[in-house]
Amino acid sequence: MPKNTEATNSPHAASVREKPYDQFVPELLASYATTGGLNNRDSHNMPSTRAVGQICLDLLQLLFPGFHDEDAVQNHSLAELTSARLAEVASRLEDQVRKSVRIGNPQKPTGRTPPILRHFFSSFTDVRELLRTDIEAAYEGDPATLYREEIILSYPAIEAIAIQRLAHVLHIAGTPILPRMMTEWAHSRTGIDIHPGAQIGSHFFIDHGTGVVIGETCKIGRRVKLYHGVTLGARSFAKDDAGHIVKGGKRHPNVEDNVTIYPNSTILGGATIIGANSTIGANVFLMHSIPPDSLVVYEEKQLVIRDKSARRIEAGHDWMI
């Protein structure tokens, strides 16, 4: 026989079970009313981070058919599958682009969405060709890989570069916010932060990739290779008379063709140019240009290698940490 049946079946007990945190609602609503910038009330024009993430996954399926699918993609069904996927992702992307271009005035049609989408999907084959060169650069540049398929399936750099190249198309077409959401989705998955505004040439390879940062106004040439921890960033920010940062302007370096930059190097400044065929060693900090065919390294101060066994005999005891 149930104990305390009257108490468990009372309306008050049911209310407590269903909404135990109602006491905090008035305080939260008051915060919505007084703390601006953190809520988007009475508006439906914001693009969705969840929707953008799913769109990115679907775009990867279109870029690399068969590589992001649980089941094999058969040749005889590829045309039908591609048509269905393209229609689905185009519909959802159209919704997100429309919300992006209407930010600030959600009720006003802009006419910008259809041309943006046409430009985006007409650029798809060009993006695939660039990605083919990126995969080739990874295959030729990494002795650890034996299969090109391994690069597509497991290299975080390919995913980050693929999404950035697509986001860049939307960026140059004038789509606000959405391209940055796409590259930040890739950033959260890969640890590689590439702004959609960055201009990147063919045969681009990021080895390992964790911690790489490439700023908005970077221009990167062909056959450039970066290692983990590389930052291509801004040196300083111009400010107006009121002390506010001036938006826009060239703030990030240019990296010319056939440059290799080793781990944890930092290169800053909009006027900084890394000349073609140069190599930047690990842990280098640069805020000025270097000419083509340069090798930039820190010379070792003094490296000492000693025989531990000889020192143990001399000291009469072992080393302990």
Side-chain angles (χ1 to χ4, degrees):
M1 179 177 178
K3 295 182 180 180
N4 200 10
T5 303
E6 182 179 353
T8 56
N9 291 335
S10 70
H12 175 71
S15 175
V16 170
R17 280 201 312 273
E18 292 171 9
K19 295 183 179 180
Y21 302 110
D22 270 2
Q23 59 181 308
F24 303 113
V25 170
E27 184 178 353
L28 191 55
L29 290 174
S31 171
Y32 292 162
T34 59
T35 306
L38 302 181
N39 39 280
N40 186 42
R41 299 173 302 159
D42 300 326
S43 177
H44 301 285
N45 67 314
M46 290 292 188
S48 161
T49 54
R50 289 188 180 182
V52 169
Q54 186 58 54
I55 287 169
C56 287
L57 288 171
D58 293 344
L59 289 171
L60 289 173
Q61 284 187 317
L62 281 171
L63 287 173
F64 306 109
F67 282 92
H68 292 268
D69 296 277
E70 292 184 13
D71 300 320
V73 174
Q74 303 296 331
N75 233 10
H76 64 82
S77 63
L78 183 59
E80 183 179 355
L81 179 64
T82 300
S83 176
R85 283 179 170 173
L86 189 60
E88 174 66 21
V89 75
S91 174
R92 288 186 286 112
L93 184 61
E94 179 181 12
D95 183 50
Q96 299 305 308
V97 170
R98 182 177 294 108
K99 290 176 179 179
S100 296
V101 298
R102 289 187 178 187
I103 283 177
N105 196 348
Q107 304 307 320
K108 181 181 179 181
T110 66
R112 293 166 60 192
T113 301
I116 286 173
L117 288 174
R118 285 195 296 271
H119 175 68
F120 178 76
F121 286 110
S122 69
S123 301
F124 223 79
T125 54
D126 293 335
V127 169
R128 274 180 48 84
E129 174 56 25
L130 280 173
L131 289 170
R132 183 196 63 77
T133 72
D134 298 332
I135 293 164
E136 192 62 29
Y139 183 78
E140 295 297 332
D142 187 355
T145 186
L146 301 178
Y147 306 98
R148 287 171 178 81
E149 292 84 355
E150 177 184 2
I151 295 165
I152 301 173
L153 289 169
S154 63
Y155 280 38
I158 292 301
E159 184 170 297
I161 294 166
I163 294 301
Q164 194 277 341
R165 290 198 185 280
L166 291 175
H168 181 70
V169 174
L170 291 173
H171 176 84
I172 61 177
T175 312
I177 296 182
L178 183 60
R180 187 66 182 272
M181 294 173 70
M182 293 170 63
T183 56
E184 288 301 329
W185 175 85
H187 178 198
S188 69
R189 286 167 59 93
T190 66
I192 299 169
D193 182 1
I194 315 176
H195 194 283
Q199 301 176 42
I200 302 174
S202 67
H203 299 84
F204 182 52
F205 179 37
I206 304 176
D207 202 352
H208 304 296
T210 305
V212 165
V213 177
I214 301 174
E216 176 189 12
T217 60
C218 276
K219 292 183 179 180
I220 298 175
R222 296 171 298 173
R223 299 190 181 277
V224 170
K225 181 178 182 179
L226 310 182
Y227 284 83
H228 49 282
V230 168
T231 296
L232 303 177
R235 179 175 179 175
S236 59
F237 304 103
K239 295 185 179 180
D240 61 21
D241 294 339
H244 302 301
I245 290 176
V246 177
K247 304 293 184 178
K250 183 76 168 77
R251 307 182 307 280
H252 306 94
N254 289 356
V255 179
E256 295 184 342
D257 296 347
N258 302 303
V259 168
T260 298
I261 305 176
Y262 280 93
N264 301 314
S265 285
T266 298
I267 302 170
L268 306 179
T272 301
I273 299 174
I274 305 302
N277 306 304
S278 293
T279 299
I280 311 298
N283 302 305
V284 167
F285 186 87
L286 271 178
M287 292 197 299
H288 57 80
S289 298
I290 61 167
D293 296 296
S294 295
L295 172 62
V296 183
V297 295
Y298 285 122
E299 297 286 353
E300 294 181 17
K301 294 181 179 179
Q302 185 177 5
L303 182 65
V304 178
I305 303 175
R306 295 175 177 157
D307 184 343
K308 291 199 300 182
S309 60
R311 288 184 60 82
R312 281 198 298 269
I313 294 170
E314 179 182 335
H317 59 77
D318 201 355
W319 294 95
M320 297 186 66
I321 297 177

